[in-house]
Amino acid sequence: MNPQPEPQPLPRDQLAKAAPESALLLGAGRAILLQLAHPQIGRAIAEHSDFASNPLSRLLHTLGYIYALSNGTAEQQRTIIDYVDEAHRPVHGTRDKTTGAPAYSALDPRLQLWVAATLFDSARVIGAQVLPAWDKNASAELYLQYARLGDALQMPTDFWPRSEARFNDYFAGITADLQVTEQIRTLADELFAGSRAPWWIRVALPLMRDVTIAQLPPPVREQFGYELTRKVELRNRMMVRAAWAASRVLPKAIRHLPMKLMLRHVDRMAASVAPRSQPSS
């Protein structure tokens, strides 16, 4: 495996401006469930992670990854990339001859492409509803810049569809092949139960669940066994309206607070491994 070049500080582009907006967190559950529904990714998560016992860990590391790649320093970017690479390296499995479950590897660029795709699609779905600056021009530029999230996962640059129209075809094709097993439904339930999460996160999870149900593509929602009830629709509408208002009224310091907290977490990750890299005396 060729060593990756050191990341460089990024310019203030559309991704750097949009990613810190906390209103986009409304799409986090949607992105995770779309990843879980991919047969290979779902199996990898089920067999090689602590998702069942600590489901919010994937969310936190995903947020750290997005924030570092969009707005972090070169050191923060390297920290999170090294962490993801180390976590992905042992994640692989052969085809299950009994169930027919496909082989997988976390280093497979096709799977990395889908992860990046779920992040972009969820951001644009939510962003178009809640962010004042989200328009067709911003979306087009953002689309090209979201390839950065896949590139840092060692996905070849040319894997990212060249235009948003081609991306839409790709996304529709993969969505049609998603498969939600009973095991994956259980993992989704664990995510929204948040048994190990702080109380203030657990309080918000029922609302997050309803927003996720409402925002999922209908075929995927049906595979998970969710129903778009009137209650779910009302809660989703309430949360979208609240996020719409907050993105226009709240000062940037508050809207960007989750990003600041997650980048501090990335700094703590770097500090925890730094002593290991020091030469012994």
Side-chain angles (χ1 to χ4, degrees):
M1 183 181 299
N2 294 327
Q4 297 181 54
E6 287 295 319
Q8 299 299 316
L10 299 170
R12 289 292 297 174
D13 53 21
Q14 287 293 338
L15 179 57
K17 294 175 183 176
E21 294 293 337
S22 56
L24 292 181
L25 292 175
L26 288 181
R30 181 184 187 274
I32 290 177
L33 261 59
L34 286 169
Q35 293 167 27
L36 283 173
H38 190 289
Q40 292 166 285
I41 296 175
R43 186 182 171 204
I45 292 173
E47 296 181 355
H48 289 271
S49 78
D50 63 348
F51 193 97
S53 61
N54 189 17
L56 291 179
S57 64
R58 184 173 182 86
L59 171 61
L60 294 176
H61 287 121
T62 298
L63 292 177
Y65 184 80
I66 294 172
Y67 293 144
L69 267 291
S70 63
N71 284 274
T73 64
E75 181 180 358
Q76 289 168 334
Q77 292 168 37
R78 172 52 57 198
T79 295
I80 201 68
I81 289 172
D82 286 348
Y83 171 84
V84 172
D85 283 347
E86 185 66 23
H88 281 181
R89 197 167 293 118
V91 178
H92 53 81
T94 59
R95 182 178 181 275
D96 189 319
K97 296 180 180 179
T98 302
T99 64
Y104 61 87
S105 168
L107 300 180
D108 186 338
R110 294 168 300 177
L111 304 186
Q112 296 166 352
L113 170 59
W114 179 244
V115 170
T118 66
L119 298 176
F120 169 72
D121 187 68
S122 295
R124 69 172 175 174
V125 165
I126 298 299
Q129 298 175 68
V130 302
L131 294 185
W134 199 286
D135 55 29
K136 290 185 178 180
N137 292 330
S139 181
E141 186 177 345
L142 267 170
Y143 170 70
L144 296 176
Q145 293 163 4
Y146 257 85
R148 182 185 306 156
L149 301 182
D151 293 345
L153 289 171
Q154 301 177 353
M155 179 194 80
T157 303
D158 59 3
F159 267 53
W160 193 250
R162 294 185 180 181
S163 68
E164 198 166 350
R166 291 187 179 183
F167 174 89
N168 292 338
D169 292 338
Y170 159 78
F171 195 87
I174 298 296
T175 300
D177 291 334
L178 297 179
Q179 298 174 11
V180 180
T181 65
E182 191 60 39
Q183 182 182 40
I184 296 305
R185 293 189 192 96
T186 299
L187 291 181
D189 290 343
E190 293 289 346
L191 173 65
F192 294 122
S195 56
R196 290 180 56 182
W199 68 267
W200 49 272
I201 290 182
R202 290 200 305 272
V203 168
L205 285 176
L207 288 174
M208 178 183 174
R209 177 181 183 274
D210 287 345
V211 171
T212 300
I213 290 172
Q215 301 289 342
L216 277 171
V220 181
R221 180 169 61 231
E222 292 171 6
Q223 285 204 54
F224 272 101
Y226 297 140
E227 293 184 26
L228 188 59
T229 64
R230 178 171 177 76
K231 177 182 176 182
V232 168
E233 288 181 316
L234 288 174
R235 284 187 165 189
N236 172 67
R237 196 175 303 128
M238 177 187 70
M239 291 298 293
V240 168
R241 286 177 178 173
W244 184 93
S247 66
R248 288 158 174 78
V249 175
L250 294 180
K252 185 183 294 186
I254 295 178
R255 301 197 319 269
H256 294 188
L257 182 59
M259 180 188 74
K260 294 178 181 177
L261 294 175
M262 285 309 307
L263 289 180
R264 290 178 187 172
H265 174 67
V266 173
D267 288 337
R268 289 194 295 271
M269 291 169 62
S272 68
V273 300
R276 302 178 190 175
S277 62
Q278 298 297 324
S280 57
S281 56

